[in-house]
Amino acid sequence: MKRLLLISSSRTHGTGFLEHAELAIKQHLSGVSRVTFVPYALANRDAYARLAEKTFRQFGFEMNSLHQTSDPVGMVEESEALFTGGGNTFRLLKTLYDNRLIDSIRQRVLTGLPYMGSSAGTNITCPTIRTTNDMPIVEPPGFAALDLIPFQINPHFLDADPDSTHQGESRETRLNEYLEENETPVLGIREGCWLRIEGDSGTVEGTHGAVLFRRDQPCQQMSTGDSLNELFPN
């Protein structure tokens, strides 16, 4: 049974790296001693790995980073848990394809390997990365991602500010444009929010909640504790 912890952002205002989700991370990784880090969303992977390793050591876990091995598929196969950090989603997905990691990660997670992602690391659990906020700074072979959940996610979701003089499109406008061309629902998760997925059920957790967008339907506000089960096939 798959176990996912999908975090909108690695930081919230006034907190350090993953600090706001520390308790949820410890619960999610209960029984795990060493976590494998997927640092591919940032260019400086050494620095990123040092940051993640320091944080997870404070949380009580050891850590290895995929960029430090010549056999990333083998490391995934031997992992106790995976954490994929944020950054640029296009760079992350391309590197996963380049290292032939899509299938191996997907199969391990579908058979029970605990998976945790933040931002871009959350994006890649969706069927595609079409609802990322990132610029396509590199070109992956396609937009298809890990397909671990049956809906799309938009991390760092921002509500439109009614007092703003900004004339550009809002995040809601962009997601509705996606739904003009695609049927798959989108869950916009605000910073401070995360999703806990176990098997074919899920819950909204953290703070600030989420917004569910579905084609030709009004958006639906979701709060901490709300079930996501309606998004999973019966």
Side-chain angles (χ1 to χ4, degrees), residues 17 31 68 92 96 110 138 145 162 167:
F17 185 72
Q68 295 168 334
L92 170 59
L96 292 178
L110 288 177
V138 295
Q167 296 298 301

Side-chain angles (χ1 to χ4, degrees), residues 54-210:
K54 178 182 178 181
T55 299
F56 275 80
R57 190 182 299 116
Q58 291 171 346
F59 292 172
F61 305 97
E62 296 299 315
M63 175 167 277
N64 292 328
S65 181
L66 277 184
H67 83 291
Q68 295 168 334
T69 179
S70 60
D71 182 16
V73 172
M75 182 177 283
V76 167
E77 293 300 320
E78 296 175 359
S79 294
E80 296 180 63
L82 289 177
F83 167 52
T84 305
N88 186 277
T89 307
F90 291 91
R91 175 162 48 200
L92 170 59
L93 186 64
K94 182 180 185 300
T95 311
L96 292 178
Y97 274 109
D98 289 347
N99 285 286
R100 297 178 174 84
L101 285 165
I102 296 290
D103 289 340
S104 57
I105 290 176
R106 186 170 192 274
Q107 290 306 312
R108 292 261 15 233
V109 175
L110 288 177
T111 53
L113 181 76
Y115 178 94
M116 176 184 145
S118 66
S119 191
T122 289
N123 276 328
I124 61 165
T125 64
C126 302
T128 77
I129 63 165
R130 286 192 175 106
T131 52
T132 179
N133 302 311
D134 299 327
M135 291 185 178
I137 61 172
V138 295
E139 187 173 356
F143 296 149
L146 294 176
D147 196 19
L148 297 171
I149 56 176
F151 55 93
Q152 291 290 127
I153 293 175
N154 177 249
H156 306 276
F157 178 79
L158 281 172
D159 298 278
D161 181 357
D163 298 322
S164 174
T165 58
H166 177 66
Q167 296 298 301
E169 292 85 352
S170 67
R171 191 71 57 79
E172 181 175 343
T173 299
R174 291 299 193 201
L175 296 181
N176 281 320
E177 287 175 346
Y178 164 84
L179 289 167
E180 290 170 355
E181 303 290 342
N182 301 273
E183 294 278 356
T184 308
V186 187
L187 192 65
I189 55 176
R190 300 181 178 96
E191 292 189 348
C193 176
W194 57 83
L195 312 179
R196 191 182 299 275
I197 309 292
E198 296 189 2
D200 289 331
S201 64
T203 310
V204 177
E205 298 187 2
T207 59
H208 304 303

